[in-house]
Amino acid sequence: MLKKLKKIDSVILIVLVMLMVISILSIYSVTNGRLVQKLDGFHLQMLKYYIVGFVAFFVLTFVDYRIFVKYALYIYILGIGLLVSVSFFGKVKNGAQLGLEIGGLSFQPAELFKLILILLLASILVRKQGATLTFWKGVVPLALLTLLPFAIVIVQNDLGNALSYIVILIGLLWIGNIKISHALIGLLIVGGLGLAGILSYIHYHDEAVYFFEETLGRKHLVDRFDPWLVPDLASDDASYHTKNAKVAIASGGMSGEGYMQGSSVQSNRVPYTYSDAIFVQVAEEFGFVGSALLLLLFFILLHRMILIALESRERSGPFLIIGITAMLLYQILENIGAFIGLMPLTGITLPFISYGGTSLLINMACMGIVMSVHLYGRDVEEDLQLPKALPVKL
């Protein structure tokens, strides 16, 4: 084990420690002394989450990741069961069914399922042995396995995590050797439908609002889309979050207003600055310089992950890393983009920075798997065999 320990990528470890420090300091800035909101001490709770997260990181680092790939289908079935159970026993928060209460602790299966989906799709693609993916036998099965959890989570009003499943699928299809013609057709269809939907929402706004609110009963979607697409028509309640976030980010200027001195975040004008909107705290109190340094840390982390994928001699390792990279990149771009007006607000957390135990634990587990690929992926490749009892041929 000591030999393996010496091979751990020190750059990734240092970046994770730096992100931990930024997270705890940022959470402390916007929660210290907030007894009325019951937020005081959240930074200490986040430190506890990080301790558990680093334990998961090191445990998974020294476990051969190919074990999880081998039994990915069973893990997927278990994950679907957890997602379904949320619909019956899940705790409702901000209009969405997100978590299960287990022993007084909140657990979000939708967060865990991102890693489960990566494992399953990677396990299928590795058995293709680099062959070009055909549409019916290659793309469609992967899409159906992704759309099932997507539909379940959409029904639970968790748009952010649901979209992350689609991003993971797209990333793995690309590295999975999809035909260029299929990729172009898919991009044209998805892009065309997306553009048509956006234009229809803008030009037929009243009809769209009626459809979402009355027909579907999804008023929260209107509150997400209006501030993004038609800010002039958005209600004050719907635009309150993003409007004040933009003001706070702009007031940060080049170097920020100073730690614990942010005029907007310290006066509670921006909701959830300890969680989803924590980037707003960084931008207002540390300005463009602090925001750029945070993005640089994310870039270094993703860059090291890609290098590990390129160095792997085993087939499933790169699939896992690309899936994790796509997941993290989506979360970073969606979270930050939502508060500068480029993306809709979906409630997705900023990886490694936002307060939240489940999100942090899953992200740290993902980094443990990346490190496992770094340690074991250079070994002589061994073909993964499906368990004999597996009833489905992938």
Side-chain angles (χ1 to χ4, degrees):
M1 180 173 290
L2 289 177
K3 185 178 179 181
K4 293 288 187 183
L5 185 62
K6 293 179 180 179
K7 293 182 179 180
I8 286 181
D9 191 306
S10 59
V11 174
I12 288 181
L13 191 58
I14 291 172
V15 170
L16 290 177
V17 172
M18 294 178 69
L19 292 175
M20 176 187 71
V21 173
I22 293 173
S23 174
I24 293 173
L25 290 177
S26 296
I27 293 172
Y28 178 79
S29 173
V30 293
T31 60
N32 181 45
R34 309 290 171 87
L35 297 176
V36 176
Q37 297 174 293
K38 298 181 181 180
L39 302 179
D40 194 32
F42 268 30
H43 63 292
L44 296 178
Q45 187 63 40
M46 190 63 177
L47 177 60
K48 295 177 183 178
Y49 290 150
Y50 253 109
I51 292 173
V52 176
F54 270 109
V55 170
F57 169 79
F58 282 109
V59 168
L60 290 174
T61 292
F62 296 111
V63 174
D64 193 332
Y65 63 94
R66 289 170 288 190
I67 296 175
F68 301 110
V69 177
K70 184 176 182 180
Y71 295 99
L73 182 57
Y74 297 121
I75 299 174
Y76 175 86
I77 295 172
L78 177 62
I80 290 293
L82 287 173
L83 287 181
V84 173
S85 68
V86 173
S87 298
F88 296 96
F89 310 107
K91 180 180 178 181
V92 178
K93 182 178 180 180
N94 297 327
Q97 284 183 299
L98 298 178
L100 298 172
E101 290 287 347
I102 302 177
L105 299 176
S106 179
F107 170 69
Q108 296 182 21
E111 291 279 357
L112 173 61
F113 202 87
K114 290 184 287 191
L115 177 55
I116 292 176
L117 182 63
I118 292 170
L119 290 172
L120 179 70
L121 298 184
S123 70
I124 296 174
L125 288 172
V126 74
R127 289 168 175 82
K128 302 294 183 181
Q129 298 184 356
T132 302
L133 293 177
T134 60
F135 181 75
W136 291 110
K137 294 185 178 180
V139 177
V140 171
L142 295 174
L144 292 176
L145 289 169
T146 303
L147 290 176
L148 175 59
F150 174 85
I152 296 173
V153 175
I154 279 291
V155 170
Q156 297 167 358
N157 291 341
D158 189 356
L159 179 63
N161 280 319
L163 291 177
S164 68
Y165 302 157
I166 303 300
V167 174
I168 290 169
L169 172 66
I170 293 173
L172 286 175
L173 282 176
W174 184 258
I175 192 178
N177 200 20
I178 188 174
K179 288 183 178 180
I180 297 297
S181 59
H182 290 168
L184 292 176
I185 293 172
L187 288 175
L188 287 174
I189 293 175
V190 173
L193 291 175
L195 181 60
I198 290 173
L199 293 177
S200 297
Y201 189 92
I202 294 173
H203 292 290
Y204 302 98
H205 180 257
D206 292 341
E207 292 82 354
V209 170
Y210 180 86
F211 175 75
F212 283 116
E213 291 185 354
E214 303 298 331
T215 306
L216 296 182
R218 296 288 190 267
K219 182 181 182 301
H220 70 283
L221 292 178
V222 175
D223 293 339
R224 299 284 176 86
F225 292 145
D226 274 5
W228 176 45
L229 298 175
V230 285
D232 294 338
L233 300 178
S235 66
D236 291 338
D237 289 340
S239 61
Y240 179 85
H241 199 168
T242 53
K243 184 182 295 183
N244 287 340
K246 291 177 185 178
V247 172
I249 292 172
S251 66
M254 181 59 67
S255 58
E257 297 182 356
Y259 182 58
M260 299 184 69
Q261 301 298 319
S263 55
S264 292
V265 298
Q266 296 299 329
S267 60
N268 298 323
R269 288 200 292 269
V270 181
Y272 302 109
T273 46
Y274 62 93
S275 181
D276 301 346
I278 199 165
F279 177 77
V280 180
Q281 181 274 333
V282 175
E284 184 174 45
E285 297 189 350
F286 296 98
F288 174 80
V289 174
S291 302
L293 289 175
L294 177 59
L295 291 176
L296 178 61
L297 289 177
F298 283 133
F299 173 80
I300 293 172
L301 184 67
L302 297 175
H303 178 255
R304 296 298 298 184
M305 292 168 60
I306 296 298
L307 290 180
I308 291 173
L310 293 174
E311 293 170 355
S312 177
R313 297 173 57 192
E314 195 274 330
R315 289 177 294 164
S316 60
F319 290 125
L320 293 176
I321 292 179
I322 294 303
I324 294 171
T325 301
M327 177 191 76
L328 293 177
L329 185 60
Y330 159 74
Q331 290 183 221
I332 294 168
L333 295 178
E334 165 57 31
N335 180 275
I336 296 176
F339 293 109
I340 60 177
L342 297 180
M343 303 287 284
L345 188 64
T346 62
I348 203 76
T349 56
L350 186 61
F352 306 106
I353 306 296
S354 294
Y355 177 84
T358 305
S359 174
L360 177 63
L361 182 59
I362 298 306
N363 288 333
M364 292 297 287
C366 287
M367 297 313 301
I369 289 178
V370 170
M371 200 63 70
S372 178
V373 174
H374 180 59
L375 298 185
Y376 295 97
R378 298 182 183 183
D379 296 341
V380 176
E381 182 177 339
E382 297 177 2
D383 289 334
L384 290 173
Q385 299 297 327
L386 289 172
K388 293 181 179 179
L390 192 63
V392 180
K393 183 179 179 181
L394 298 176

